[in-house]
């Protein structure tokens, strides 16, 4: 078998990928022709001029194929680093009912932003409070560059305002956390089946009689970490189990990445922070009609528009690391 190492991958590996299969097969053929010409030349020096011309043509073809393979692999690497599918989670923090209402507003803000970007938005799981806010919720978002745009939204979001139930006009501070989990095609984290437990229950809400009468909702608990994931909005138990396992895998991968990031936190020059969900990243101050991102020390006004999903400027500024004056 002809072995050709290219960008740390041999031809056999390149042929397994449907995106590079044809090019790898063509490259293998060209390399075989090159070997035959060189073997022929070694046996008869009088063929040197003819062989040199033939090797020149072969070399040009080889370079062309290598360049195409390199471009495809670069695109695949970019897709792996910035996948076009994420799971976004919101969870109420400190502040009781006000925190759950704020968690719902954050989810609404991201849903409207997703709509403006042409992303597909789907509910995975919702747990609502008595005031119809979110205790916690999980959403699947798909679209080109969705992770690239939303990867810095992970962290604690803080709201300062006078709740509707406040009689004395005092400003309250509440929090909600956001987690953005990239869903990668290539899974690097294998979960031992002995490490998780499965629970099944009936799904509520929309979905018809089958969803409400059959135990289609799935909860997976990862015993070593205590992480639990729910999926309730697929139509079958199997589909919910697959979705929950996909989210759990993404969570465990993110935990490993957070551990690695903390190891090198002292050396990190980025203004964006660690990406840890416990890091306070943003304050929404309603009395002053201002949102401040503490990582880049920059503020924006017109909270009503921001809460309706007009956060494109915010996301662009954070992505470019633009630093301003923190007036918080």
């Amino acid at each position: 078998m002809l072995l050709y190492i290219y960008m740390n991958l041999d031809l056999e590996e390149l042929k397994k990928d449907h995106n590079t299969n044809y090019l790898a097969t063509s490259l293998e053929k060209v390399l075989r022709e090159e070997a035959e010409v060189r073997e022929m030349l070694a046996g008869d020096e009088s063929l040197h001029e003819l062989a040199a011309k033939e090797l020149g043509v072969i070399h040009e073809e080889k370079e062309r194929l290598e360049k195409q393979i390199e471009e495809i692999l670069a695109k695949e690497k970019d897709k792996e680093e910035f996948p076009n599918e994420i799971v976004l989670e919101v969870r109420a923090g400190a502040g009781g009912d006000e925190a759950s209402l704020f968690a719902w507003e954050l989810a609404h803000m991201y849903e409207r932003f997703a709509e403006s970007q042409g992303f597909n938005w789907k509910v995975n799981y919702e747990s609502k409070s008595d005031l119809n806010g979110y205790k916690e919720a999980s959403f699947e978002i798909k679209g080109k560059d969705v992770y690239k745009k939303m990867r810095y939204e992970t962290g604690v979001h803080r709201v300062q305002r006078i709740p509707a139930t406040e009689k004395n006009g005092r400003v309250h501070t509440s929090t909600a956390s956001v987690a953005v989990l990239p869903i990668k095609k290539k899974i690097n984290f294998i979960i031992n089946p002995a490490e998780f437990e499965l629970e099944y229950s009936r799904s509520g809400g929309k979905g018809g009689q089958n969803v409400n009468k059959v135990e289609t909702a799935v909860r997976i608990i990862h015993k070593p970490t205590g992480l639990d994931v729910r999926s309730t909005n697929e139509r079958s138990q199997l589909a919910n189990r697959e979705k929950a396992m996909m989210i759990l895998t993404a969570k465990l991968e993110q935990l490993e990445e957070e551990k690695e990031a903390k190891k090198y936190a002292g050396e990190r020059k980025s203004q964006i922070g660690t990406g840890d969900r416990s890091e306070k990243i943003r304050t929404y101050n309603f009395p002053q009609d201002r949102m401040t991102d503490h990582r880049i020390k920059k503020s924006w006004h017109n909270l009503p528009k921001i809460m309706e999903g007009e956060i494109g400027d915010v996301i662009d500024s954070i992505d470019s690391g633009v630093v301003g004056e923190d007036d918080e």
Side-chain angles (χ1 to χ4, degrees):
M1 180 183 71
L2 181 63
L3 181 65
Y4 179 71
I5 303 299
Y6 182 75
M7 291 188 71
N8 297 321
L9 291 172
D10 62 39
L11 280 174
E12 293 305 311
E13 286 297 316
L14 291 170
K15 286 196 291 185
K16 290 177 184 176
D17 187 335
H18 73 276
N19 291 315
T20 54
N21 175 270
Y22 174 75
L23 292 170
T25 302
S26 299
L27 181 57
E28 187 176 48
K29 181 182 176 183
V30 169
L31 291 169
R32 192 173 291 111
E33 289 173 357
E34 181 184 38
E36 289 171 357
V37 171
R38 292 189 183 282
E39 187 179 347
M40 180 179 66
L41 182 60
D44 189 346
E45 283 292 328
S46 65
L47 298 173
H48 185 274
E49 188 175 342
L50 180 65
K53 287 183 180 179
E54 198 165 340
L55 285 173
V57 173
I58 289 172
H59 182 70
E60 286 182 8
E61 178 66 5
K62 186 168 71 170
E63 279 193 338
R64 185 184 70 81
L65 291 168
E66 288 175 344
K67 186 178 180 181
Q68 284 184 269
I69 292 172
E70 184 177 12
E71 289 172 353
I72 289 172
L73 292 177
K75 286 180 181 177
E76 287 186 348
K77 184 179 179 182
D78 190 60
K79 282 182 181 178
E80 180 62 19
E81 187 176 355
F82 298 113
N84 294 327
E85 182 178 358
I86 65 170
V87 167
L88 183 140
E89 296 182 334
V90 295
R91 190 183 300 264
D97 287 335
E98 178 67 8
S100 70
L101 289 171
F102 180 51
W104 181 92
E105 288 174 285
L106 286 175
H108 174 76
M109 178 182 76
Y110 290 124
E111 183 176 10
R112 294 302 300 270
F113 174 71
E115 288 174 1
S116 73
Q117 299 297 305
F119 298 153
N120 179 263
W121 174 280
K122 184 178 180 182
V123 177
N124 285 329
Y125 169 72
E126 296 174 313
S127 174
K128 293 191 174 182
S129 68
D130 292 338
L131 295 181
N132 221 29
Y134 280 143
K135 294 178 181 177
E136 58 180 304
S138 168
F139 310 92
E140 182 181 1
I141 315 175
K142 294 181 181 179
K144 182 173 171 52
D145 293 333
V146 62
Y147 181 60
K148 188 177 285 187
K149 288 181 182 291
M150 299 188 68
R151 66 194 189 277
Y152 294 131
E153 294 304 297
T154 291
V156 174
H157 296 238
R158 182 176 67 171
V159 63
Q160 294 176 323
R161 64 184 171 191
I162 302 170
T165 54
E166 170 57 48
K167 297 177 181 178
N168 298 317
R170 289 183 298 119
V171 173
H172 288 227
T173 298
S174 304
T175 62
S177 63
V178 173
V180 175
L181 307 167
I183 304 301
K184 300 175 181 178
K185 289 184 178 179
K186 294 180 181 178
I187 297 173
N188 301 314
F189 200 99
I190 306 300
I191 305 174
N192 183 342
E195 293 183 344
F196 64 81
E197 293 179 1
L198 285 165
E199 292 181 1
Y200 301 101
S201 60
R202 295 179 185 180
S203 294
K206 298 177 182 178
Q209 292 183 345
N210 179 61
V211 171
N212 293 315
K213 290 185 177 180
V214 180
E215 291 187 333
T216 56
V218 174
R219 180 187 182 209
I220 300 179
I221 304 102
H222 186 246
K223 292 184 281 189
T225 61
L227 286 174
D228 74 280
V229 174
R230 295 172 174 85
S231 180
T232 63
N233 277 31
E234 300 296 333
R235 296 191 66 84
S236 71
Q237 188 183 93
L238 178 61
N240 275 320
R241 176 173 172 168
E242 289 176 350
K243 180 64 63 64
M245 187 60 73
M246 176 189 76
I247 297 170
L248 178 60
T249 302
K251 282 191 170 191
L252 290 170
E253 280 196 297
Q254 188 181 63
L255 278 180
E256 288 300 310
E257 288 172 6
E258 284 179 6
K259 286 179 186 177
E260 289 299 310
K262 285 177 181 177
K263 286 181 185 178
Y264 305 105
E267 302 171 13
R268 185 169 176 166
K269 295 179 181 179
S270 170
Q271 296 283 344
I272 302 304
T274 63
D276 192 319
R277 70 191 67 194
S278 64
E279 179 184 12
K280 186 187 76 175
I281 64 168
R282 200 174 287 158
T283 294
Y284 304 70
N285 187 315
F286 278 79
Q288 297 179 17
D289 190 32
R290 182 184 67 211
M291 183 182 80
T292 300
D293 194 288
H294 305 294
R295 298 164 296 180
I296 60 172
K297 299 178 173 63
K298 187 174 173 64
S299 294
W300 293 263
H301 294 274
N302 202 335
L303 276 176
K305 282 191 175 182
I306 287 172
M307 302 313 291
E308 283 299 317
E310 293 191 23
I311 56 174
D313 288 345
V314 180
I315 283 174
D316 289 343
S317 294
I318 295 167
D319 190 38
S320 60
V322 175
V323 179
E325 294 291 329
D326 189 347
D327 50 5
E328 180 67 9

